[in-house]
Amino acid sequence: MARDYYEILGVSRDADKEDIKQAYRRLARKYHPDVNKEPGAEDRFKEINRAYEVLSEPEIRERYNRFGEAGISGGAGAGFQDMGDMGGFADIFESIFSGFAGGGMGGQPQRRRSGPVRGDDLRLDLKLDFREAVFGGEKEIRISHLEVCGVCNGSGAKPGTRPRTCSTCGGSGQVRRVTRTPFGSFTQVSTCPTCNGTGTVIEDKCDACDGKGTNQVPKKLKITIPAGVDNGTRLRISQEGDAGQRGGPPGDLYVYLFVNEDELFRRDGINILSEIKISYLQAILGCRLEVETVEGPVEMVIPAGTQANTIMKLENRGVPRLGNPVSRGDHLLTILIDIPTKVTPEERELLEKLAKIKGDRTGKGGQGFLGNLFK
């Protein structure tokens, strides 16, 4: 029994056309046989294509919703489909695989039409120090992306010449073959073998880009890191991806942020956590001391009688809320009490006097408040 097509694409039954397109784009990239060599990837890819063919066409989707597989088998959506009549499916397929292995299946661009094609998006992983993530700021990054060739202006042809329309496909980038059977006629569409789907043929290639119309170019960029970013935060830098084809717009650059661990501080949401160790005398008598925060040392009062593992709060010393830096979390300090394992004779004498005043048992093996100090 065929799997549910919504389940295959991982979308709900009320998903709109854009949600379905995005789900298809993600899965097709993952399971395309040119990219995924694992056993079963090709069958999974065919299953994903079939699901998108059905759910991307409103009329076919409606029949599927009402009658399931029985409503579409033997009719539209079954057997060979005319890719040229599918519109959205052909466009999305083109944009997904135009960048693989030098331009798609077979090592050449797989084009479904000769119009503009948007460039590929790029990803960059960027590591930040703990304080950089807290306070944000400017950061310089280096990328390498495709830019339109400045010599041929992206045409791929030598200056003074231009690509000519492919005579095999008439500029459509596709050739069709009609197969007639007792059950009807089926149109099979394939990429034009002469122009490899571009719809044009370049006779004199541009020397600067070897006819590709683009060149790989390194570039420095200054980007702004917002205050309060965390592991996995994604920044979108518009139009800094690869250049488009045939006048299409460039893609975007996505910067994924990862935060290095800090020796002193940890993070819990918008709160900062750290520990401070004080002596048992400071815990008993109280004290005033400096503690480290992400903004530098701050004086803090430890009340008399503070217990071990007490958590004290420094308000508004935490992480700014992402998108609203005026709102900040707190800095939470856990108090650790340092109990010495050895004391000097003078200290022991004073402590024994204190124990006598308190009425606590002391000495070797003593079970009182100070007993373990003298083992």
Side-chain angles (χ1 to χ4, degrees), residues 124-143 219-227 229 235 237 253 255-260:
L124 175 72
D125 292 346
L126 180 63
K127 286 190 175 183
L128 302 175
D129 290 334
F130 191 89
R131 287 176 173 82
E132 287 179 321
V134 171
F135 298 113
E138 277 198 343
K139 196 85 171 172
E140 185 175 89
I141 60 174
R142 296 171 181 267
I143 64 171
K219 186 174 183 180
K220 290 182 182 179
L221 292 175
K222 279 191 176 179
I223 63 173
T224 300
I225 308 296
V229 297
L235 305 180
I237 316 300
L253 170 66
V255 180
Y256 285 76
L257 304 178
F258 298 90
V259 183
N260 293 325

Side-chain angles (χ1 to χ4, degrees), residues 37-112:
K37 304 299 183 182
E38 294 180 3
E42 185 173 356
D43 291 338
R44 181 84 169 101
F45 180 70
K46 291 177 181 178
E47 192 178 45
I48 292 163
N49 280 339
R50 171 65 172 157
Y52 184 75
E53 290 174 17
V54 172
L55 300 184
S56 63
E57 291 297 313
E59 292 181 5
I60 302 176
R61 180 180 178 182
E62 184 179 354
R63 289 203 303 273
Y64 177 72
N65 288 342
R66 293 179 63 188
F67 306 110
E69 184 71 27
I72 57 174
S73 60
F80 287 108
Q81 282 264 353
D82 185 345
M83 300 285 282
D85 296 333
M86 290 184 63
F89 177 79
D91 293 343
I92 191 69
F93 190 89
E94 167 188 331
S95 65
I96 286 177
F97 299 111
S98 61
F100 283 151
M105 295 177 291
Q108 295 294 332
Q110 299 294 309
R111 304 300 186 203
R112 297 296 176 183

Side-chain angles (χ1 to χ4, degrees), residues 51-354:
Y52 184 75
E53 290 174 17
V54 172
L55 300 184
S56 63
E57 291 297 313
E59 292 181 5
I60 302 176
R61 180 180 178 182
E62 184 179 354
R63 289 203 303 273
Y64 177 72
N65 288 342
R66 293 179 63 188
F67 306 110
E69 184 71 27
I72 57 174
S73 60
F80 287 108
Q81 282 264 353
D82 185 345
M83 300 285 282
D85 296 333
M86 290 184 63
F89 177 79
D91 293 343
I92 191 69
F93 190 89
E94 167 188 331
S95 65
I96 286 177
F97 299 111
S98 61
F100 283 151
M105 295 177 291
Q108 295 294 332
Q110 299 294 309
R111 304 300 186 203
R112 297 296 176 183
R113 56 178 183 164
S114 57
V117 177
R118 182 180 182 274
D120 287 339
D121 294 333
L122 298 179
R123 168 174 174 156
L124 175 72
D125 292 346
L126 180 63
K127 286 190 175 183
L128 302 175
D129 290 334
F130 191 89
R131 287 176 173 82
E132 287 179 321
V134 171
F135 298 113
E138 277 198 343
K139 196 85 171 172
E140 185 175 89
I141 60 174
R142 296 171 181 267
I143 64 171
S144 178
H145 66 179
L146 292 177
E147 291 187 1
V148 174
C149 176
V151 176
C152 65
N153 293 319
S155 71
K158 275 187 177 180
T161 68
R162 60 181 180 179
R164 64 173 176 83
T165 301
C166 176
S167 58
T168 303
C169 63
S172 69
Q174 301 170 332
V175 290
R176 303 185 180 205
R177 181 168 60 87
V178 177
T179 303
R180 300 188 182 279
T181 73
F183 303 101
S185 297
F186 295 91
T187 302
Q188 191 173 358
V189 181
S190 59
T191 301
C192 175
T194 303
C195 66
N196 293 311
T198 64
T200 58
V201 176
I202 300 174
E203 294 177 332
D204 295 316
K205 293 182 179 180
C206 170
D207 294 330
C209 64
D210 195 29
K212 296 188 292 292
T214 57
N215 289 312
Q216 196 78 28
V217 178
K219 186 174 183 180
K220 290 182 182 179
L221 292 175
K222 279 191 176 179
I223 63 173
T224 300
I225 308 296
V229 297
D230 203 353
N231 277 315
T233 300
R234 187 184 75 171
L235 305 180
R236 174 175 170 267
I237 316 300
S238 179
Q239 297 194 340
E240 291 295 349
D242 283 341
Q245 296 288 328
R246 300 187 296 280
D252 298 327
L253 170 66
Y254 288 92
V255 180
Y256 285 76
L257 304 178
F258 298 90
V259 183
N260 293 325
E261 292 185 359
D262 190 88
E263 292 182 357
L264 297 177
F265 308 116
R266 291 177 292 114
R267 182 169 170 175
D268 182 16
I270 60 172
N271 292 327
I272 292 176
L273 312 178
S274 68
E275 298 174 342
I276 182 172
K277 186 176 287 188
I278 62 175
S279 72
Y280 65 97
L281 294 176
Q282 288 174 315
I284 293 170
L285 300 175
C287 62
R288 186 185 296 269
L289 72 166
E290 281 190 344
V291 297
E292 281 295 326
T293 72
V294 290
E295 294 171 295
V298 172
E299 192 174 73
M300 183 176 185
V301 175
I302 307 295
T306 295
Q307 302 297 305
N309 296 319
T310 296
I311 295 177
M312 301 191 69
K313 181 192 298 183
L314 293 173
E315 293 187 352
N316 297 318
R317 296 278 182 176
V319 180
R321 194 179 298 276
L322 188 61
N324 182 18
V326 176
S327 174
R328 290 185 65 173
D330 302 320
H331 188 148
L332 306 178
L333 290 109
T334 300
I335 306 298
L336 305 179
I337 299 178
D338 184 19
I339 305 294
T341 57
K342 293 181 180 180
V343 293
T344 65
E346 183 180 1
E347 289 172 329
R348 176 171 180 168
E349 182 180 349
L350 293 173
L351 290 169
E352 284 180 339
K353 288 181 181 179
L354 176 61

